[in-house]
Amino acid sequence: MRRTVFNEDHEAFRETIRAFIEAEVVPVYDEWFAAGQAPRDFYYKLAELGVFGIRVDEEYGGAGIDSYKFEAVLYEETARAGVQFGGSGVHVLLGLPYIKMLATDEQKKRFLPKFVSGEEMWALAMTEPGTGSDLAGMKTTAKLSEDGTHYVLNGAKTFITGGVHADRVIVCARTDAPSAEDRRHGISLFAVDTKSEGYSVGRKLDKLGLKTSDTAELAFVDVKVPVEDLLGEENKGFYYLGHNLASERWGIAFGAYAQAKAAVRFAKQYVQERTVFGKPVAHFQNTKFELAACQAEVDAAEAVADRTLEALDAGELTPAEAASAKLFCTEVAHRVIDRCLQLHGGYGFMNEYPIARLYADNRVNRIYGGTSEIMKSIIAKDMGL
């Protein structure tokens, strides 16, 4: 099928990214995988390539392109190569929307040039031990000091992707108690400097997949956060989080579709090269039928991913549409990658084959950004159920 979502500029960017991955990532990816994270200096290379500044205004050093399509190309090309760019994805997909939406002019002047250059890597800290998807149940607090110059931050966060290398973290904390009518009241967002006294990074978590992204536990003990680092208005954090969840869920949906597409590519290549009973595995009817069924599912997921991308760029993507795309694309990816791994036989279980890593990397897509069950609840509510 002919796609219309990308133009010549996107395809030129694709060629650049593909060459960059082959030269700078593939040769050292096994080292990153073993280390459990990408090296910090790799992010400077991405910055030099212009990856961090695509959607940042020119006055702050960016390209000023108000579109997620270049990020979509990144999803497709990293999946195609069977690699990840460490924890850098949250820097752009999760960090940037909050800066653009909430930061004052003064904050943008402080934050965005370093954001674009990779000097300051950003992460988002929402989830807490014991709360999971129930963000309204968070316990981390930020109390305004008596002189009104700073907040005192106390609490803990977990599952924070990019948390080891982060220089700034958007921390969600309670600045007021929840009201009887609204548990979501009282949450605020802060751009916390990770060099602050009392801020600490706990364990770098040992995950099933996404091995090259630095995911960590964070702790805050009387961390002083200047009032100038409050993002947006006090107590409106939950609204801000909800507003940006649509773009986050689009990213997960598109990334999952790209992984499914890559899985078919890996499996097709493998069955054409692998010989059993004197014939290529691709010769057998079961192989052809399995890959044909997977391709049909990928085609459908691509259509959903592209449609959602166009809606996001147009500023028309609703929370329910984003939830639907995430649910559909992640479930498709789960089925397709599992079937493509099966076609690899025992080799599909070996981490030296990209399909094995892809299988592990993909599993979290149905959990983070809101579980599949949460997505179903959002969709059902939108249906009036």
Side-chain angles (χ1 to χ4, degrees):
M1 297 181 188
R2 188 176 68 88
R3 298 176 79 185
T4 58
V5 70
F6 298 123
N7 62 28
E8 292 180 358
D9 291 337
H10 302 124
E11 296 306 329
F13 180 69
R14 186 187 302 279
E15 292 180 11
T16 298
I17 290 297
R18 189 173 294 183
F20 174 81
I21 290 173
E22 288 298 318
E24 300 289 344
V25 182
V26 171
V28 294
Y29 196 70
D30 286 345
E31 297 174 19
W32 296 5
F33 191 85
Q37 62 185 30
R40 178 64 175 81
D41 61 5
F42 171 68
Y43 299 146
Y44 288 111
K45 294 181 180 180
L46 288 177
E48 290 173 4
L49 202 61
V51 168
F52 297 154
I54 293 171
R55 289 191 291 110
V56 176
D57 291 343
E58 293 182 35
E59 63 181 299
Y60 304 114
I65 301 173
D66 188 21
S67 172
Y68 283 81
K69 292 184 179 179
F70 291 94
E71 289 170 49
V73 171
L74 284 171
Y75 282 122
E76 291 187 334
E77 290 306 306
T78 51
R80 179 185 182 277
V83 301
Q84 298 278 339
F85 279 176
S88 65
V90 301
H91 180 66
V92 176
L93 183 64
L94 301 189
L96 185 57
Y98 290 97
I99 302 174
K100 292 183 68 173
M101 178 175 72
L102 303 176
T104 63
D105 289 342
E106 184 276 330
Q107 288 174 324
K108 288 179 180 178
K109 290 176 182 177
R110 278 196 292 133
F111 296 151
L112 286 175
K114 293 180 180 180
F115 181 99
V116 172
S117 70
E119 183 179 345
E120 281 192 352
M121 296 299 296
W122 286 62
L124 177 63
M126 294 190 290
T127 307
E128 296 184 1
T131 62
S133 296
D134 182 18
L135 297 179
M138 69 176 62
K139 305 297 184 184
T140 297
T141 61
K143 304 294 185 183
L144 187 63
S145 63
E146 292 185 2
D147 61 7
T149 61
H150 63 272
Y151 291 85
V152 181
L153 183 66
N154 283 283
K157 300 289 181 179
T158 193
F159 306 145
I160 309 307
T161 302
V164 174
H165 285 320
D167 303 288
R168 286 266 177 185
V169 176
I170 300 173
V171 177
C172 312
R174 283 209 163 277
T175 44
D176 195 9
S179 67
E181 299 79 20
D182 188 1
R183 294 177 62 241
R184 300 169 297 181
H185 169 78
I187 295 172
S188 301
L189 307 184
F190 299 90
V192 180
D193 186 341
T194 63
K195 297 185 295 295
S196 302
E197 184 177 352
Y199 180 104
S200 63
V201 177
R203 292 185 302 147
K204 180 167 72 68
L205 300 173
D206 184 15
K207 308 185 298 297
L208 171 67
L210 300 178
K211 289 289 190 179
T212 64
S213 69
D214 49 308
T215 303
E217 297 174 330
L218 306 179
F220 322 110
V221 179
D222 294 334
V223 177
K224 292 183 178 180
V225 182
V227 293
E228 292 81 9
D229 288 345
L230 171 70
L231 285 174
E233 295 183 39
E234 200 177 78
N235 300 326
K236 291 190 175 181
F238 199 95
Y239 164 77
Y240 301 143
L241 293 172
H243 183 274
N244 283 334
L245 276 173
S247 61
E248 178 183 351
R249 287 167 179 161
W250 161 79
I252 297 170
F254 203 96
Y257 139 71
Q259 289 176 324
K261 183 177 182 179
V264 173
R265 175 176 178 267
F266 296 143
K268 179 182 175 182
Q269 181 179 5
Y270 178 82
V271 299
Q272 288 175 329
E273 297 173 353
R274 173 69 169 163
T275 300
V276 295
F277 306 117
K279 298 178 180 179
V281 176
H283 175 81
F284 298 95
Q285 186 181 64
N286 179 69
T287 303
K288 296 176 182 179
F289 280 9
E290 282 292 284
L291 282 178
C294 287
Q295 184 62 53
E297 290 219 72
V298 169
D299 287 344
E302 181 178 88
V304 170
D306 286 357
R307 184 186 70 183
T308 311
L309 172 56
E310 294 283 22
L312 179 64
D313 265 13
E316 298 172 353
L317 183 62
T318 69
E321 289 170 342
S324 178
K326 180 182 184 296
L327 177 65
F328 181 75
C329 290
T330 57
E331 294 291 341
V332 164
H334 164 67
R335 293 191 296 270
V336 167
I337 294 170
D338 183 75
R339 295 168 82 170
C340 288
L341 186 150
Q342 188 74 14
L343 289 172
H344 282 70
Y347 289 106
F349 204 63
M350 301 296 111
N351 274 328
E352 64 186 275
Y353 282 79
I355 192 68
R357 299 181 182 183
L358 193 59
Y359 183 88
D361 289 348
N362 172 262
R363 184 58 185 88
V364 76
N365 288 333
R366 291 182 289 148
I367 298 173
Y368 67 4
T371 64
S372 290
E373 291 72 25
I374 294 293
M375 298 303 100
K376 291 175 184 177
S377 295
I378 294 170
I379 297 165
K381 183 178 180 180
D382 186 67
M383 294 170 65
L385 299 175

